[in-house]
Amino acid sequence: MASPTGTSDAPFGRMLTAMVTPFTADGSVDVDGVQRLAAYLVDEQGNDGLVVSGTTGESPTTGDAEKETILRAVLEAVGDRATVVAGAGTNDTRHSVELARAAERAGAHGLLLVTPYYNRPPQEGLYRHFTTVADATGLPVMLYDIPARAGVPIATETLLRLAAHPRIVAVKDAKGDLFAGSQVMASSDLVYYSGDDALNLPWLSVGAAGVVSVVGHVVGSELASMINLYRAGDVEGARSVHRRLLPVVTGIMTRTQGVIMAKAALALKGRPAGPVRAPLVDATAEQVALLREELVAGGVKLAD
């Protein structure tokens, strides 16, 4: 299935949010909430793409059947007007292949493949893992380079090897090495997306096509505006948006785990979120009070 918003220079769109998975009070997937949240993110928050079952979607604690349910719900809600990218990365190549094929059958527009975590494979292992999963479907692939979680980076040389694969087309970068990313972009056709909200504008400045955001749950329209301003040559305008959103990034991304605060922020806006799953824990009253102040400081309108 073709991506509704992709182009050759931005194959998954430009403003994507790594979507949380709403749960009910008893901890089960809130399918209606998933669909309402997806529609809100696309129709009201300016997202032209969504990543489902990524880190922020609590993929480590959702089962395979739940992942398929979530993906199908999002596709039904917004799949005709936003690119829907399915997280299919695990630290088991065979399992990742299974998830990738299930996502393709469900109608996903693309795959997000995180670096295999915990087992710390060598670079040759990373290369074989990513190419094996990319070979398993006809879907375009966005690699997710996040050594703080995975324990190992995808080396520049490995990224350049992977760029030769016809379906590996993009990188979500949470490594934060703008120079290394610049080298990859200069020497290959890989498209970069910022995977760190603190570095969204810096990544755009060195050639990233867009962002895969967490704060996009509540300031997606502002981030889309920043991307458009920068692409139009209004660097000062983009910088102004970047600075205005600093309190929001601080509140959601720096105090504890991002999904915890993203769900707390959505609750403050009266949007579907629900609790997190163990071993995560919900935000404390003190954390929520500080978050409220920072969201207001960043211009976010909260529920009455």
Side-chain angles (χ1 to χ4, degrees):
M1 187 180 220
S3 160
T5 60
T7 61
S8 59
D9 64 335
F12 301 102
R14 297 195 184 277
M15 175 59 225
L16 294 87
T17 289
M19 187 176 133
V20 304
T21 300
F23 295 130
T24 61
D26 68 2
S28 58
V29 174
D30 178 1
V31 177
D32 177 66
V34 167
Q35 294 196 309
R36 287 187 292 121
L37 179 60
Y40 157 75
L41 291 172
V42 172
D43 299 333
E44 299 182 46
Q45 282 294 333
N47 287 271
D48 60 358
L50 298 174
V51 173
V52 300
S53 294
T55 306
T56 310
E58 297 181 73
S59 59
T61 51
T62 54
D64 292 1
E66 289 179 316
K67 288 179 173 65
E68 183 169 343
T69 295
I70 295 161
L71 174 59
R72 290 184 181 275
V74 172
L75 285 164
E76 181 179 327
V78 301
D80 61 338
R81 58 193 187 277
T83 299
V84 180
V85 182
T90 72
N91 64 348
D92 176 348
T93 303
R94 290 177 297 176
H95 188 196
S96 295
V97 166
E98 293 168 3
L99 290 175
R101 288 174 173 162
E104 184 176 44
R105 289 193 298 270
H109 303 128
L111 300 173
L112 180 74
L113 299 182
V114 70
T115 311
Y117 39 84
Y118 187 71
N119 42 22
R120 295 174 62 91
Q123 293 298 311
E124 181 62 26
L126 296 185
Y127 176 80
R128 295 184 189 185
H129 171 84
F130 289 129
T131 54
T132 297
V133 182
D135 285 340
T137 80
L139 296 176
V141 169
M142 179 189 296
L143 305 176
Y144 186 12
D145 191 3
I146 181 165
R149 287 185 180 274
V152 59
I154 312 175
T156 298
E157 296 77 12
T158 305
L159 286 165
L160 293 175
R161 289 179 69 197
L162 291 165
H165 194 288
R167 285 184 294 283
I168 297 177
V169 298
V171 179
K172 175 188 175 185
D173 187 281
K175 184 163 55 184
D177 188 338
L178 275 72
F179 182 71
S182 297
Q183 290 179 306
V184 173
M185 285 184 274
S187 301
S188 76
D189 292 329
L190 284 176
V191 175
Y192 265 65
Y193 288 82
S194 171
D196 180 349
D197 278 306
L199 295 179
N200 286 337
L201 183 56
W203 269 117
L204 292 175
S205 76
V206 296
V211 306
V212 180
S213 174
V214 176
V215 303
H217 283 95
V218 294
V219 291
S221 296
E222 289 81 355
L223 288 174
S225 173
M226 184 183 76
I227 294 167
N228 291 335
L229 286 166
Y230 188 85
R231 286 176 50 77
D234 186 356
V235 176
E236 185 53 43
R239 186 183 298 125
S240 177
V241 177
H242 167 75
R243 290 176 176 171
R244 187 165 67 247
L245 298 183
L246 290 175
V248 181
V249 176
T250 299
I252 294 178
M253 301 306 299
T254 68
R255 192 155 290 121
T256 183
Q257 219 268 6
V259 62
I260 293 171
M261 301 310 289
K263 283 193 164 183
L266 286 167
L268 288 171
K269 285 185 64 66
R271 299 294 177 174
V276 295
R277 279 186 176 173
L280 300 182
V281 294
D282 292 321
T284 66
E286 181 182 6
Q287 288 170 336
V288 172
L290 289 170
L291 176 63
R292 178 187 291 274
E293 293 177 2
E294 287 154 337
L295 294 178
V296 170
V300 177
K301 185 176 180 180
L302 304 180
D304 296 330

